[in-house]
Amino acid sequence: MYLVRLLYLSKATGGLGTSGIEKLLLSAQRNNSRAGISGMLVFNGEYFLQVLEGGRSEVNGLYQRISADPRHQELLMLQMDEISERLFSDWSMAYVPSSSLTRELLLRYGVSDEFQPMLMSNHSCLGLLTALRAPLAVV
Ligand code: FAD
C-alpha cells in the first residue's frame, strides 16, 4: 500500500453556508479518520483547494466520491504523487476559512492578493497549504 498525496481545486456551486460547510466537514472528518486519510480544505466562498493524503486506493476512492458531489464543479486535479511522509498527518480534515487567507500569504504564493488557485502553480498551491498549517489547532 503506497502513501500518496492528491491536490485539487474546484468551484462551489453556491448556497453552501456556514452550516453546510460544518456538515461537510463533520462527515469528512468521520470518514477520513476511518480510512486513514488526512488533509486540509481551504474555502473562500467561491473556490475549494483541498489536499488529501493516505493509501493510494483510499485516496483514489475518496476523490471519485468527491468528484461526483453536486456541491462543487469544475474540479481540476493538480497533483497526485507517491510520498514518503505526510505533511498533514495531524488532521483528518483541517479547515481554513477565507479569514485566514491573509494578503501577505496570498501575495507570497500568488499573483494577486485574491485567492485564485487556478492562477497558482501546483507548487504554490501546496506551499500555501503548508504555510496555513502552522496556526491551526489539531483536530
Ligand atoms: P453524508 O456526508 O452523510 O452525505 C450523504 C449524501 O448526501 C452524499 O451523497 C452527499 O454527497 C449528499 N449530500 C450531503 N449534503 C449535501 C448537500 N448539502 N448538497 C448536496 N448533496 C449533499 N468526504 C469525505 O469523506 N472526506 C473528505 O475529505 C471530503 N471532502 C470534500 C470536499 C469538498 C469540497 C466537497 C464538496 C465534498 C467533500 N466530501 C468529503 C464529501 C463527499 O463528496 C461525500 O459527500 C461524502 O464522502 C459522503 O459521505 P457519507 O457517505 O458519510 O454521506
Side-chain angles (χ1 to χ4, degrees):
M1 171 68 73
Y2 293 102
L3 198 55
V4 299
R5 178 178 306 121
L6 187 154
L7 190 62
Y8 78 89
L9 65 88
S10 65
K11 201 165 181 199
T13 39
L16 199 62
T18 312
S19 69
I21 283 286
E22 277 169 8
K23 201 173 144 215
L24 188 158
L25 276 176
L26 279 177
S27 141
Q29 286 162 356
R30 185 186 59 233
N31 294 337
N32 294 357
S33 294
R34 236 182 342 234
I37 290 176
S38 50
M40 181 183 279
L41 177 68
V42 180
F43 182 50
N44 75 334
E46 186 177 11
Y47 292 105
F48 290 106
L49 176 64
Q50 188 173 31
V51 59
L52 303 167
E53 297 174 334
R56 182 165 61 187
S57 58
E58 284 78 6
V59 169
N60 255 296
L62 175 58
Y63 184 67
Q64 285 169 37
R65 233 166 53 229
I66 290 175
S67 305
D69 195 310
R71 288 170 282 188
H72 62 169
Q73 59 193 355
E74 299 173 34
L75 275 78
L76 189 63
M77 195 199 284
L78 302 174
Q79 187 180 317
M80 166 82 167
D81 287 329
E82 283 178 10
I83 53 171
S84 54
E85 62 180 304
R86 298 177 194 237
L87 289 172
F88 301 88
S89 54
D90 284 340
W91 301 277
S92 56
M93 188 46 58
Y95 178 64
V96 177
S98 53
S99 55
S100 302
L101 296 169
T102 61
R103 181 180 152 77
E104 185 275 317
L105 264 184
L106 291 169
L107 284 174
R108 196 191 311 168
Y109 293 101
V111 291
S112 80
D113 61 359
E114 283 178 43
F115 180 56
Q116 295 180 306
M118 66 291 177
L119 298 181
M120 291 163 66
S121 72
N122 306 352
H123 279 107
S124 294
C125 285
L126 189 59
L128 174 65
L129 289 163
T130 307
L132 286 164
R133 288 178 314 180
L136 286 176
V138 173
V139 178

